[in-house]
C-alpha cells in the first residue's frame, strides 16, 4: 500500500496532483517535494504546510513508496541518473513527462520492474479527467494494480501502450486548453445577456457534459450529431478552428515523437 509520495520538481503539475490527492484523501499520504527553485517550493509549502520540502537535495524525497519525476524532458534523465542509487529497490518511479521513453528511463535508473510513465491531466485537481499510464514490461501485475489504484484517486486512469502517450499528451493533457477559453467566453456572454454567473456556469457545465455524452450514447454518425442543432452561429468559422487544430497539433505531435 502506498503511504508516502515524493515529487522531484515543484511546478504546476506537482501542485495540482497534491491538491487532487488531498482533496479526496486528506492526510492519507506523507509528501516530500524537492526543487532547485526556492520560490516554487515556497508556493508548495504555503499551500500545504505539513509537506517536507528540500531544495537542491533529492536524497530525502526519493525515500518514499512512489517517486514522481515532475521534470521537463531535457533534465529528467540526468536527474534520474543522479538519484538512482538513493531510490529504494521497491520504490516506484513514475515520469510525468512526454518524449522520455521507458527504455531510456531503464538505462538511466538501472531498473526495469518499478518504472512507469503517466501523462497527467489538469482536471486531476478536482479528481476528474483522464490519466493514461504505461508500465515497463517487467512490472508485476500486483504492482500495476497498486499504482492504478493510487492514480484512480485523481480521476480516470487507463493503462495504454507507451507509444500512444505522446498522442494523449496532445489530446487529453492539453485538451482542456482547447476548451476552457471558449467556456469562459460563453460564461462572460451569458452574464452580459443577464444570466446570473452561478446559473450560467451550471448551464454551461451541464451542456458540455451532455454534448460529450451525446457523442458516446447517441446512435448517429458524427455529421448527424453535429446537425442536431439547427442554428450554428459559428459555422463559417469552423474551418479556421479545424485548420488551427491540424496545423498546430500535427506539428506539435511531430516534435514530441522526434
Amino acid at each position: 500500500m502506498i503511504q508516502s509520495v515524493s515529487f522531484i520538481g515543484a511546478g504546476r503539475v506537482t501542485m495540482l496532483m497534491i491538491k487532487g490527492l488531498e482533496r479526496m484523501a486528506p492526510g492519507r499520504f506523507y509528501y516530500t517535494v524537492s526543487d532547485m527553485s526556492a520560490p516554487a517550493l515556497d508556493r508548495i509549502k504555503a499551500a500545504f504546510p505539513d509537506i517536507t520540502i528540500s531544495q537542491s537535495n533529492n536524497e530525502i524525497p526519493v525515500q518514499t513508496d512512489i517517486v514522481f519525476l515532475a521534470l521537463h524532458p531535457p533534465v529528467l534523465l540526468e536527474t534520474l541518473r543522479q538519484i538512482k542509487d538513493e531510490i529504494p529497490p521497491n520504490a516506484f518511479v513514475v515520469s510525468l513527462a512526454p518524449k522520455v521513453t521507458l527504455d531510456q528511463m531503464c538505462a538511466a535508473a538501472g531498473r526495469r520492474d518499478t518504472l512507469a510513465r503517466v501523462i497527467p491531466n489538469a482536471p486531476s485537481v478536482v479528481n476528474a479527467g483522464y490519466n493514461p499510464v504505461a508500465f515497463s514490461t517487467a512490472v508485476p501485475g500486483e504492482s500495476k494494480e497498486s499504482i492504478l489504484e493510487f492514480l484512480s484517486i485523481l480521476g480516470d486512469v487507463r493503462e495504454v501502450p507507451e507509444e500512444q502517450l505522446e498522442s494523449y499528451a496532445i489530446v487529453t493533457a492539453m485538451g482542456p486548453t482547447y476548451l476552457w477559453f471558449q467556456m469562459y467566453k460563453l460564461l462572460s456572454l451569458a452574464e452580459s445577456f443577464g444570466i446570473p454567473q452561478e446559473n450560467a456556469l451550471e448551464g454551461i457545465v451541464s451542456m458540455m457534459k451532455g454534448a460529450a455524452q451525446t457523442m458516446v450514447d447517441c446512435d448517429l454518425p458524427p455529421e448527424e450529431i453535429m446537425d442536431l442543432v439547427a442554428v450554428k452561429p459559428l459555422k463559417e468559422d469552423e474551418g479556421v478552428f479545424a485548420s488551427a487544430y491540424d496545423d498546430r497539433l500535427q506539428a506539435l505531435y511531430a516534435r514530441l515523437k522526434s
Side-chain angles (χ1 to χ4, degrees):
M1 179 181 294
I2 294 172
Q3 296 179 319
S4 57
V5 183
S6 64
F7 292 85
I8 298 180
R12 60 169 59 88
V13 172
T14 293
M15 179 70 83
L16 71 86
M17 287 182 68
I18 294 176
K19 283 185 175 181
L21 291 168
E22 282 298 286
R23 181 176 182 267
M24 187 62 70
R28 177 174 165 184
F29 304 108
Y30 167 76
Y31 301 94
T32 63
V33 180
S34 69
D35 200 291
M36 296 180 65
S37 168
L41 290 172
D42 289 342
R43 286 190 291 271
I44 294 286
K45 192 70 170 177
F48 304 100
D50 293 335
I51 282 181
T52 299
I53 61 173
S54 174
Q55 185 178 1
S56 305
N57 181 357
N58 294 320
E59 293 183 6
I60 296 175
V62 299
Q63 302 297 316
T64 55
D65 298 324
I66 185 167
V67 181
F68 285 106
L69 302 177
L71 300 166
H72 295 298
V75 300
L76 188 146
L77 289 177
E78 179 58 31
T79 300
L80 187 53
R81 282 189 284 266
Q82 292 171 0
I83 66 174
K84 67 177 183 178
D85 294 333
E86 306 295 335
I87 304 174
N90 60 342
F92 223 92
V93 180
V94 181
S95 165
L96 302 177
K99 288 184 73 74
V100 179
T101 68
L102 286 166
D103 281 344
Q104 290 174 310
M105 290 176 63
C106 289
R111 60 169 72 198
R112 186 174 290 274
D113 59 343
T114 57
L115 296 178
R117 293 178 58 199
V118 174
I119 300 297
N121 205 196
S124 294
V125 73
V126 292
N127 311 97
Y130 193 88
N131 297 281
V133 56
F135 294 95
S136 177
T137 54
V139 176
E142 60 270 21
S143 295
K144 285 186 180 183
E145 292 177 7
S146 177
I147 297 300
L148 290 170
E149 181 182 4
F150 172 81
L151 291 172
S152 70
I153 298 173
L154 296 170
D156 289 337
V157 57
R158 295 289 184 275
E159 182 180 359
V160 302
E162 183 186 14
E163 59 268 21
Q164 295 178 2
L165 288 180
E166 281 69 33
S167 302
Y168 280 108
I170 292 173
V171 175
T172 60
M174 302 177 199
T177 69
Y178 316 145
L179 305 176
W180 275 332
F181 77 95
Q182 298 181 70
M183 295 172 70
Y184 279 113
K185 186 60 182 178
L186 282 177
L187 181 61
S188 175
L189 286 169
E191 291 180 79
S192 74
F193 299 155
I195 303 177
Q197 184 184 71
E198 181 179 352
N199 294 349
L201 185 59
E202 179 182 47
I204 290 168
V205 170
S206 183
M207 175 274 294
M208 291 291 290
K209 290 179 179 178
Q213 198 63 41
T214 303
M215 294 173 65
V216 175
D217 290 340
C218 187
D219 189 21
L220 290 173
E223 60 272 14
E224 292 188 31
I225 287 178
M226 291 187 286
D227 198 43
L228 289 173
V229 180
V231 180
K232 304 176 183 64
L234 299 182
K235 179 66 176 179
E236 294 181 0
D237 301 306
E238 288 179 4
V240 176
F241 281 92
S243 293
Y245 272 69
D246 284 335
D247 294 344
R248 298 182 185 278
L249 302 189
Q250 291 283 5
L252 178 57
Y253 177 75
R255 291 200 299 273
L256 288 180
K257 295 296 284 187
S258 64

